[in-house]
Amino acid sequence: MPTITLPDGTTRSFDNDTSPLEIASDISEGLAKCAVGARIDGILSDLSTPITKDAEVKIVTARKGEKESDCDALELIRHSCAHVMAEAIQRIRPEAQLVYGPALDTGFYYDISFDGCEPLSTEEFEAIEKEMATIIAEDRPFTRYELDIDEGMKKLQDEGSKYKIDNAQRAIENGSETLTWYATGEPRKAWEDLCKGPHVPSTGCIGAFKLQSIASSYWHGDADSDRLTRVYGVAFVHKKQLKQYLKMLEEAKKRDHRVLGKKLKLFHVDEQVGQGLLLWTPNGAVIRQELQNFISQELTKQQYSQVFTPHIGKLELYRTSGHYPYYQESQYPPLIDPDQLNKLASEGCTCGDLANMMKNGEIEGYLLKPMNCPHHIRIYASEQHSYRDLPVRLAEFGTVYRWEQSGEIGGMTRVRGFTQDDAHLFCTEEQVADELSSCLELVKIIFTTLGMEDYRVRVGIRDSDTEKYVGDPANWEKAEEACRNAADTLGVPWIEEKGEAAFYGPKIDFIVKDVLGRSWQLGTVQVDYNLPERFDLNYIGSDGNQHRPVMIHRAPFGSMERFIGVLIEHFAGAFPTWLAPEQVRVLAISEKSNEYAQTVLQTLRNRGVRVSVDTSDERIQAKIRSAAEMKVPWLLVVGPRDAKENNVSVRMRGIMEDLGAVGLQTFTDAIVEEIDSRGEVSTLKICFPDVDYAEDA
Ligand SMILES: [Zn+2]
Ligand SMILES: [Zn+2]
């Protein structure tokens, strides 16, 4: 007699064993109709899964009219769609051997072996999609059946697929007592796949789908093993959602920071310099410098002290901090001084010996710094502090180096050297809460100024496995409470996540949504009890005794490289005037106006505006087009009449028509005001109060 507890806390009792489908029908016919699966005691399951004892059940539904679908429903649909795709591929290409086909955040894939036969090509997608549509239209049930291990393995041996045998063996090693298959129709007659499920009840529940691409992959991800073909697809509950998603992908492609970075000349990666080592070209450097100036001003307001530290530090420093040798695999190998190296070489020291000696601390070396914290700690420790000096807030745009696998690097978002807008605060236990609030306030100011106002905040606290966290549990309690309180003061929704804390303290992360709705984890604020301990930091309290300070690490942007990469895509390269590398371009209608164009240029330049003039022989329309290509926010077209009246004819990026003429002085004052206010004041509104346009870059 199972009693079922529903998500709203209500319960229902059943006389016999039941199933999610029966529970859904018991609630309402409407619910049963759109149910595609269930979570039974938290585990995603088939709608037909027998329930023999008391359980908490949440019915998973896929309703076509809803704007956003349940993630569980999407996962069921996507994995089921992978089955349908595999069946369709095997109908067309019977020689294809299936490996595995999981769901992804956005879709699904199936790894397939075409060993010894013609590889699959995207030209076959149309035929495969047609087959899939037929299978979906037939609305065949996903039917689960189980075999005991002996019988199941025998079946797989008879079928002769080494990949499925391998999958089964892994399942058994992981504790499976039976092997399960899902047939798309009648068991052992219809097409079937070894799979532990769950799936939607029938193929008809799969809404809209599309095959996307083919990539190569390896069995077990091992490059020395069999080469496989990975076929990617997407699936949604409703056609409209699929259409929206494909449109978003299209838009994302146009905004790709690697493409725009090249076109707008923002950065360069050079083979001779090294992979993942970004060169900031003049245009990109302007954006970075403007952002750094902006932060520096805010830091001054919040009484930070800015410091500079070198790019390397002794291995011993990182042994104390714990960064070496524990994080060796994500660091460039250490540097060793030439005399020592020569001496060791002459003694016949091998690479292996050298590595061991470094690890054991028998020889000294230097590390390209993987973090700025140890250097800042040594600045703090360079003098004796009293409670009156605290908090000490040290900030630096500090460049750090991490060794990323070459397959993982690309563009600005995965690099091997990057600059953090880093700071470390050293404070008393009592000051933690206030300092956290100001850190969050700073992050908020930054995101608001950049128009990235769609963000959420996550407070990461310990999970139940408290063994892995350092420090006094009582301090943790306080710090976690301080993080919650600080998050409360922000006035935006925040969530708490267990297990998201760092091992040395709780943290607060900002997850920003860009205009395409993609989420990026950017700013972070972390409380740390570990490093003050390791470095034996102290301050003299009002009682005259030594006390341990608490450290806060915080970086609003995270890394300048990654942040600007995100920013390029967010703005699609059309930066607000204060950030734009070229803020104004002056276009002379003809040679006759070149002289006046130079006057305009000089007037603006004298006020600090980044301006250039196009005096080429191109026709004015061509000049306008090329300025638009470079996403210059303001174009000033000047002709003989403008020269006579000391005017400029203004065009704004995104509005390609002429807004009209305005006095050169008026325009200059207005744009300077816009730049100084970082966009709070609008040049457009000052010069053309009657024009009502929204920028559409
Ligand atoms: Zn499956
Ligand atoms: Zn740090």
Side-chain angles (χ1 to χ4, degrees):
M1 263 199 37
T3 299
I4 303 303
T5 310
L6 297 167
D8 63 1
T10 59
T11 56
R12 274 164 202 254
S13 291
F14 293 83
D15 289 338
N16 299 304
D17 291 355
T18 182
S19 71
L21 179 61
E22 200 188 353
I23 297 164
S25 306
D26 193 45
I27 297 168
S28 81
E29 266 321 298
L31 182 66
K33 249 188 178 157
C34 61
V36 290
R39 276 205 180 264
I40 305 172
D41 287 332
I43 297 167
L44 193 58
S45 312
D46 289 334
L47 202 54
S48 58
T49 306
I51 301 175
T52 55
K53 55 180 179 49
D54 294 356
E56 285 181 17
V57 174
K58 177 179 179 266
I59 305 292
V60 173
T61 59
R63 288 191 178 89
K64 298 212 158 150
E66 268 170 16
K67 224 173 142 205
E68 270 185 41
S69 307
D70 185 314
C71 322
D72 284 342
L74 287 173
E75 187 178 330
L76 291 170
I77 286 174
R78 285 166 182 167
H79 173 64
S80 302
C81 199
H83 276 240
V84 170
M85 177 178 79
E87 178 176 355
I89 290 175
Q90 284 196 319
R91 274 192 191 175
I92 296 169
R93 303 281 299 265
E95 70 282 12
Q97 287 209 53
L98 304 177
V99 187
Y100 22 61
L104 299 169
D105 277 353
T106 52
F108 58 88
Y109 69 78
Y110 217 119
D111 275 349
I112 302 170
S113 165
F114 289 92
D115 189 29
C117 53
E118 185 71 16
L120 193 75
S121 105
T122 50
E123 278 166 27
E124 291 167 89
F125 276 5
E126 210 184 309
I128 298 167
E129 285 173 339
K130 217 174 136 201
E131 261 328 296
M132 289 172 71
T134 308
I135 298 166
I136 290 170
E138 285 164 3
D139 195 18
R140 292 173 2 213
F142 278 94
T143 331
R144 175 190 162 104
Y145 72 93
E146 279 181 31
L147 295 178
D148 64 40
I149 288 176
D150 289 344
E151 210 182 333
M153 286 308 281
K154 184 174 178 305
K155 172 177 155 67
L156 291 171
Q157 306 281 4
D158 291 346
E159 289 166 1
S161 164
K162 68 169 182 179
Y163 302 110
K164 291 293 166 186
I165 292 171
D166 179 69
N167 287 352
Q169 275 162 347
R170 286 167 169 247
I172 295 162
E173 273 165 33
N174 283 329
S176 279
E177 284 164 1
T178 56
L179 294 173
T180 54
W181 274 261
Y182 277 83
T184 326
E186 202 178 323
R188 311 199 86 155
K189 284 194 180 146
W191 185 90
E192 61 178 27
D193 196 5
L194 174 78
C195 176
K196 66 179 186 341
H199 296 94
V200 292
S202 67
T203 57
C205 300
I206 298 168
F209 70 92
K210 186 157 181 57
L211 299 193
Q212 274 188 302
S213 59
I214 290 177
S216 61
S217 61
Y218 295 98
W219 195 22
H220 299 163
D222 173 5
D224 295 324
S225 193
D226 299 8
R227 205 187 167 92
L228 306 172
T229 301
R230 183 168 290 183
V231 189
Y232 284 100
V234 285
F236 287 90
V237 173
H238 196 263
K239 269 207 183 86
K240 216 165 137 190
Q241 292 167 334
L242 175 67
K243 236 169 109 180
Q244 258 170 11
Y245 176 73
L246 294 175
K247 207 174 134 199
M248 189 276 280
L249 282 188
E250 215 32 60
E251 186 60 27
K253 230 194 230 161
K254 274 192 262 169
R255 289 169 180 259
D256 187 329
H257 75 275
R258 289 163 300 188
V259 178
L260 285 173
K262 198 167 188 152
K263 189 176 138 191
L264 304 177
K265 300 184 183 176
L266 300 174
F267 69 94
H268 173 60
V269 177
D270 194 285
E271 272 310 311
Q272 288 203 33
V273 173
Q275 268 194 349
L277 299 172
L278 211 78
L279 302 175
W280 293 85
T281 44
N283 285 350
V286 166
I287 297 169
R288 173 168 160 173
Q289 191 59 55
E290 284 294 348
L291 288 171
Q292 292 192 183
N293 291 348
F294 167 39
I295 293 198
S296 294
Q297 276 180 17
E298 293 300 323
L299 291 183
T300 308
K301 283 186 213 160
Q302 289 199 10
Q303 290 178 277
Y304 278 76
S305 311
Q306 294 205 56
V307 296
F308 298 98
T309 63
H311 288 228
I312 63 173
K314 276 167 117 176
L315 278 181
E316 197 49 39
L317 178 72
Y318 299 106
R319 284 200 190 93
T320 307
S321 70
H323 293 111
Y324 188 85
Y326 301 111
Y327 295 99
Q328 256 189 104
E329 64 293 343
S330 58
Q331 292 159 2
Y332 278 89
L335 313 160
I336 298 178
D337 83 62
D339 292 342
Q340 190 170 218
L341 197 60
N342 289 337
K343 185 170 162 278
L344 287 168
S346 70
E347 289 165 358
C349 170
T350 67
C351 292
D353 297 338
L354 188 65
N356 276 333
M357 282 192 276
M358 282 190 302
K359 207 159 142 189
N360 300 333
E362 290 161 22
I363 50 169
E364 239 333 318
Y366 294 85
L367 207 58
L368 275 171
K369 67 178 175 191
M371 297 271 211
N372 300 304
C373 343
H375 284 73
H376 292 181
I377 287 174
R378 295 314 301 163
I379 293 179
Y380 174 85
S382 67
E383 55 179 309
Q384 176 67 60
H385 292 281
S386 110
Y387 69 97
R388 288 193 199 87
D389 311 331
L390 266 40
V392 169
R393 308 180 184 94
L394 303 179
E396 179 182 16
F397 293 96
T399 305
V400 297
Y401 299 87
R402 309 266 171 92
W403 183 258
E404 299 266 5
Q405 293 298 317
S406 59
E408 292 168 355
I409 55 184
M412 301 181 99
T413 46
R414 294 302 289 266
V415 287
R416 284 180 174 158
F418 55 90
T419 303
Q420 296 176 316
D421 55 327
D422 212 356
H424 296 96
L425 289 74
F426 302 84
C427 63
T428 68
E429 199 70 62
E430 296 70 44
Q431 290 167 333
V432 171
D434 280 348
E435 290 307 305
L436 279 177
S437 292
S438 339
C439 288
L440 294 188
E441 194 50 42
L442 178 66
V443 182
K444 192 176 161 184
I445 290 170
I446 287 168
F447 286 148
T448 309
T449 305
L450 289 164
M452 299 175 104
E453 275 160 281
D454 191 359
Y455 56 82
R456 60 194 176 82
V457 173
R458 179 178 64 201
V459 175
I461 59 164
R462 289 163 300 174
D463 56 26
S464 50
D465 177 14
T466 49
E467 291 279 286
K468 58 186 185 192
Y469 304 102
V470 298
D472 179 1
N475 284 342
W476 269 87
E477 296 283 327
K478 270 191 272 177
E480 286 172 351
E481 196 49 33
C483 284
R484 289 186 194 104
N485 291 339
D488 269 339
T489 62
L490 270 172
V492 299
W494 58 272
I495 52 159
E496 183 168 306
E497 261 179 59
K498 277 200 171 130
E500 279 294 320
F503 74 91
Y504 49 76
K507 61 177 185 163
I508 307 170
D509 291 322
F510 281 70
I511 294 135
V512 181
K513 246 190 191 173
D514 69 12
V515 282
L516 298 184
R518 296 171 302 179
S519 294
W520 301 90
Q521 198 219 298
L522 295 170
T524 180
V525 180
Q526 309 185 349
V527 185
D528 185 353
Y529 294 104
N530 180 45
L531 287 177
E533 201 72 41
R534 295 186 78 110
F535 281 92
D536 193 21
L537 298 183
N538 66 63
Y539 68 91
I540 305 294
S542 56
D543 55 4
N545 295 328
Q546 281 196 354
H547 296 268
R548 187 80 74 213
V550 183
M551 239 178 113
I552 296 173
H553 311 242
R554 62 121 206 83
F557 289 162
S559 111
M560 299 307 289
E561 284 75 6
R562 188 176 142 83
F563 187 81
I564 292 176
V566 172
L567 216 53
I568 294 170
E569 301 195 359
H570 179 72
F571 289 123
F575 288 96
T577 306
W578 69 277
L579 279 177
E582 184 182 351
Q583 294 164 321
V584 178
R585 194 178 290 186
V586 187
L587 315 175
I589 283 182
S590 71
E591 216 180 303
K592 273 185 262 169
S593 307
N594 278 354
E595 202 189 315
Y596 180 62
Q598 290 297 339
T599 308
V600 173
L601 173 96
Q602 213 47 58
T603 307
L604 285 158
R605 190 171 280 165
N606 289 345
R607 298 284 299 278
V609 178
R610 292 186 290 269
V611 51
S612 70
V613 58
D614 185 348
T615 49
S616 66
D617 297 334
E618 294 286 351
R619 299 171 68 98
I620 192 71
Q621 282 312 324
K623 289 184 182 180
I624 291 172
R625 262 200 311 278
S626 78
E629 285 272 295
M630 289 305 281
K631 316 222 177 206
V632 181
W634 298 98
L635 307 187
L636 303 180
V637 178
V638 294
R641 188 160 163 204
D642 295 300
K644 211 167 110 203
E645 292 166 9
N646 222 12
N647 279 346
V648 287
S649 295
V650 182
R651 282 166 196 258
M652 191 175 99
R653 179 182 58 204
I655 307 168
M656 280 332 277
E657 67 199 71
D658 185 0
L659 294 173
V662 63
L664 172 59
Q665 209 49 54
T666 308
F667 178 82
T668 308
D669 291 342
I671 195 168
V672 168
E673 226 185 305
E674 175 175 340
I675 294 165
D676 288 349
S677 71
R678 299 203 167 88
E680 236 171 76
V681 175
S682 149
T683 306
L684 183 71
K685 285 220 175 87
I686 296 174
C687 297
F688 305 99
D690 302 330
V691 178
D692 183 23
Y693 284 115
E695 183 177 9
D696 176 30

